[in-house]
């Protein structure tokens, strides 16, 4: 049974006979065809007892036809896409139509309302649950992405210098990866020095690398359709004991959570395993985000590993474990690995050492 067949089978159990897939990543997941339509429209139409149909910009239609074994319809920029969709679909009068609420913007939603007569229901939870448990093939691809993340962060380490800025190091990481055939990062690479790392989502800039401070790297690589995500914090020069103590506390929390993970515990319990270490030391207020997020074809996927989420952890789930301690004006530390749940525990995709590494600027 194909992924499309499985999705339709689950929808029919809910008396839903039509679905519109609008997220390019979901389309790739279901069909193996990857494309970013940018400001244009791309939809995968799934109708019970009918062939799937992919509607997309004409400029990508030929490539889709060479990839897929079902009909592909392209549209020119000068055409009205909604009129062409209405003219193309064999049926538009359904009682219910499933659409991805988490992806659709208002323009797309209103456009689809001109095509279908039925009520829209949310497809997102079903897609999320389909993508929740990774196959061995998916895990293998993520292991490769993790290896590239390890290579990327090592490039960053090798370029640490007091004469360089945060963005200098980012440029060197991405330049070297491109030379090796990696064209896309999972997200905007972060290199944050000193107090800039005390902002969990700090913005790299022209800050020169500080001496006797901590330096944070947060990056990921996309390859084979799957992503990686890791964070390491290293020492430049000789940071004071307070900074080193905060680092060790963060590492203790991360290892506690990783050691706790196994099938049957809950996402909230995994979060608590790390959080209680930091809270016990008196720094709970400075760990101000969830412990982790799912990862796969998207760098941030369902589920959230956080307080209040009683979802049971299952074998094959993939997510991050990334405690952080951010004390404004003093220090910022985050340590992150993504991994997959095994029968007995948790294996990480990234292998870069986590003891505090020291570099001379």
């Amino acid at each position: 049974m194909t992924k499309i067949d499985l999705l339709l089978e689950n929808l029919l159990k809910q008396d839903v006979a039509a679905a519109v897939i609008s997220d390019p990543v979901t389309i790739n997941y279901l069909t193996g065809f990857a494309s970013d339509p940018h400001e244009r429209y791309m939809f995968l139409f799934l109708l019970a007892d009918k062939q799937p149909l992919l509607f997309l910009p004409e400029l990508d239609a030929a490539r889709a036809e060479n990839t897929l074994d079902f009909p592909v319809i392209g549209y020119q920029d000068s055409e009205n896409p909604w009129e062409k969709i209405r003219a193309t679909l064999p049926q538009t009068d359904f009682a219910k139509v499933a659409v991805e609420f988490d992806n659709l913007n208002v323009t797309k939603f209103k456009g689809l309302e001109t095509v279908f007569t039925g009520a829209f229901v949310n497809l997102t939870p079903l897609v999320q649950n389909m993508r929740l448990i990774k196959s061995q093939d998916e895990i293998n691809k993520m292991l490769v992405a993790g290896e590239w993340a390890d290579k990327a962060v090592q490039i960053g380490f090798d370029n640490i210098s007091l004469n360089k800025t945060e963005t200098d190091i980012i440029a060197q990481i991405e330049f070297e990866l491109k030379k090796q055939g990696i064209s896309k990062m999972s997200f905007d690479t972060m290199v944050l020095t000193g107090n800039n790392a005390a902002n969990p989502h700090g913005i790299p800039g022209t800050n020169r690398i500080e001496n006797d401070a901590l330096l944070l790297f947060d990056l990921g690589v996309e390859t084979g359709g799957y992503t990686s995500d890791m964070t390491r914090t290293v020492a430049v020069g000789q940071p004071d004991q307070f900074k080193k103590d905060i680092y060790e506390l963060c590492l203790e929390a991360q290892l506690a959570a990783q050691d706790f993970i196994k099938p049957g515990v809950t996402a909230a319990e995994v979060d608590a395993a790390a959080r209680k270490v930091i809270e016990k030391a008196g720094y709970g207020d400075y760990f101000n985000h969830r412990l982790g997020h799912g990862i796969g074809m998207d760098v941030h996927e369902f589920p959230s590993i956080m307080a209040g989420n009683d979802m049971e952890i299952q074998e094959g789930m993939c997510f991050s474990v990334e405690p952080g301690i951010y004390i404004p004006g003093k220090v910022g530390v985050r340590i992150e690995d993504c991994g997959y749940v095994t029968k007995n525990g948790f294996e990480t995709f990234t292998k870069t050492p986590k003891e505090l590494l020291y570099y001379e600027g």
Side-chain angles (χ1 to χ4, degrees):
M1 179 179 289
T2 68
K3 293 173 182 174
I4 289 177
D5 291 337
L6 179 60
L7 187 149
L8 281 171
E9 180 182 87
N10 282 305
L11 285 174
L12 287 170
K13 291 177 182 177
Q14 303 171 34
D15 296 320
V16 180
V20 183
I21 314 299
S22 56
D23 185 343
V25 177
T26 308
I27 292 173
N28 186 7
Y29 175 77
L30 293 172
T31 69
F33 176 72
S35 181
D36 184 350
H38 302 289
E39 75 279 7
R40 298 179 174 92
Y41 300 110
M42 180 169 70
F43 300 108
L44 176 65
F45 293 100
L46 305 178
L47 312 180
D49 302 321
K50 302 285 193 307
Q51 278 189 300
L53 186 146
L54 182 66
F55 181 87
L56 78 172
E58 183 63 40
L59 52 85
D60 289 322
R63 186 165 64 87
E65 288 170 349
N66 290 331
T67 304
L68 304 174
D69 59 0
F70 54 78
V72 171
I73 301 295
Y75 79 98
Q76 299 281 357
D77 289 344
S78 58
E79 293 182 285
N80 183 313
W82 310 112
E83 290 179 359
K84 191 161 188 176
I85 291 170
R86 284 195 297 270
T88 300
L89 290 178
Q91 182 181 351
T92 58
D93 56 335
F94 296 92
K96 299 177 184 177
V97 179
V99 299
E100 294 176 284
F101 280 17
D102 282 15
N103 175 262
L104 283 180
N105 61 30
V106 175
T107 300
K108 290 178 184 177
F109 189 85
K110 290 295 185 182
L112 290 172
E113 282 187 325
T114 71
V115 174
F116 294 99
T117 58
F120 289 144
V121 297
N122 191 7
L123 179 62
T124 295
L126 176 55
V127 171
Q128 287 178 333
N129 280 293
M130 285 183 65
R131 290 171 58 180
L132 178 64
I133 306 300
K134 269 58 176 183
S135 67
Q136 188 59 53
D137 178 64
E138 289 179 294
I139 289 171
N140 290 341
K141 290 176 179 177
M142 295 172 74
L143 284 165
V144 172
E147 289 175 4
W148 278 106
D150 284 326
K151 293 177 183 178
V153 81
Q154 187 60 55
I155 294 168
F157 294 168
D158 292 343
N159 280 276
I160 292 172
S161 169
L162 300 182
N163 295 320
K164 292 183 178 179
T165 67
E166 296 165 332
T167 50
D168 287 338
I169 296 177
I170 292 170
Q172 198 64 44
I173 292 170
E174 297 187 1
F175 174 67
E176 293 296 334
L177 288 179
K178 287 186 189 305
K179 289 199 299 183
Q180 297 180 55
I182 297 297
S183 61
K184 188 175 182 182
M185 306 301 288
S186 301
F187 52 93
D188 289 342
T189 301
M190 295 169 61
V191 175
L192 305 173
T193 186
N195 291 336
N196 201 22
N199 183 339
H201 279 175
I203 299 174
T206 57
N207 309 298
R208 290 198 178 275
I209 304 307
E210 294 181 28
N211 199 24
D212 299 332
L214 298 182
L215 179 62
L216 185 150
F217 293 79
D218 189 351
L219 55 78
V221 172
E222 181 176 320
T223 180
Y226 285 77
T227 61
S228 55
D229 184 6
M230 69 179 298
T231 307
R232 290 293 185 271
T233 304
V234 300
V236 180
Q238 291 296 324
D240 61 38
Q241 190 61 46
F242 176 74
K243 293 180 177 66
K244 291 188 283 188
D245 288 345
I246 292 298
Y247 181 90
E248 294 301 327
L249 179 62
C250 191
L251 178 57
E252 180 185 351
Q254 201 225 19
L255 295 176
Q258 287 189 4
D259 290 344
F260 180 80
I261 296 167
K262 62 182 179 181
V265 302
T266 69
E269 289 171 337
V270 176
D271 180 281
R275 198 168 301 276
K276 68 183 180 183
V277 172
I278 296 173
E279 289 177 343
K280 183 178 179 181
Y283 293 100
D285 289 345
Y286 300 103
F287 177 18
N288 55 11
H289 56 74
R290 63 189 176 184
L291 178 66
H293 56 81
I295 190 170
M297 298 184 83
D298 280 314
V299 72
H300 283 184
E301 289 192 356
F302 175 76
S304 287
I305 308 302
M306 65 181 184
N309 183 2
D310 292 328
M311 171 180 281
E312 187 173 293
I313 299 299
Q314 303 173 60
E315 183 180 356
M317 288 174 61
C318 299
F319 51 82
S320 70
V321 178
E322 49 179 306
I325 302 173
Y326 316 95
I327 305 175
K330 292 185 178 181
V331 66
V333 176
R334 183 166 62 255
I335 304 169
E336 173 188 15
D337 293 286
C338 294
Y340 59 99
V341 181
T342 67
K343 290 181 180 179
N344 302 309
F346 187 74
E347 295 290 335
T348 60
F349 296 120
T350 40
K351 310 299 181 183
T352 299
K354 286 183 284 194
E355 68 270 14
L356 185 58
L357 302 176
Y358 289 81
Y359 292 86
E360 295 301 323

